[in-house]
Amino acid sequence: MTAPASAPKTPYLCPNPPTFRVLDRLRKTELGSPENRLCIGCFKLAYYDGVLLIENGSITHNMANLEPDALRVVLGDRQIVIDVWVQSSCSVTLTASATEMESARAYFVDRGIAVCTA
């Protein structure tokens, strides 16, 4: 299988808003509160007190006991890479629009997490 020659010009759309099972159950906590969520395409992300939760209608990905200095966010060409390789051998890449990338930068910097540009 080969990768497409270039990234799509428009972000991926979610025709039906998915249910965020874990985040919705935690909405009365600091982690799950709607004000603490970052939206990237069909995904919702939340970070609080060393816990990073990434969720859409199909999956929930949880990373815990993260130190802000072990978590790194890299903004590339229409991609956001969340890198915790040193601590947990994991990284997540999400396709994002320019607006979503700026929102991600502000979100993570506000929480003391390093953000760099590729």
Side-chain angles (χ1 to χ4, degrees), residues 3 8 12-13 16 19 28 35 39-40 46 53 57 62-63 65 79-80 85 99-100 104 109 116:
Y12 296 105
L13 300 175
N16 298 314
T19 301
K28 294 184 180 179
E35 297 80 26
C39 300
I40 305 293
L53 192 69
N62 180 31
M63 292 178 265
N65 298 320
Q79 291 184 338
I80 299 170
W85 192 259
T99 303
E100 290 169 333
V109 166
C116 61

Side-chain angles (χ1 to χ4, degrees), residues 41-116:
C42 294
F43 292 90
K44 299 266 193 255
L45 290 77
Y47 177 82
Y48 183 78
D49 197 25
V51 176
L52 176 64
L53 192 69
I54 303 171
E55 189 169 40
N56 73 6
S58 303
I59 63 129
T60 299
H61 184 77
N62 180 31
M63 292 178 265
N65 298 320
L66 298 175
E67 298 296 327
D69 59 345
L71 179 60
R72 185 174 66 136
V73 176
V74 181
L75 303 178
D77 184 28
R78 295 184 46 89
Q79 291 184 338
I80 299 170
V81 178
I82 302 168
D83 180 13
V84 289
W85 192 259
V86 173
Q87 189 169 346
S88 69
S89 300
C90 179
S91 64
V92 175
T93 303
L94 301 172
T95 300
S97 68
T99 303
E100 290 169 333
M101 291 177 68
E102 284 307 311
S103 295
R105 177 186 304 279
Y107 181 88
F108 287 110
V109 166
D110 187 47
R111 285 153 181 81
I113 296 166
V115 176
C116 61

Side-chain angles (χ1 to χ4, degrees), residues 22-35 37:
V22 175
L23 282 174
D24 287 344
R25 286 186 201 147
L26 296 173
R27 72 179 155 266
K28 294 184 180 179
T29 68
E30 294 289 333
L31 176 64
S33 72
E35 297 80 26
R37 297 181 190 186

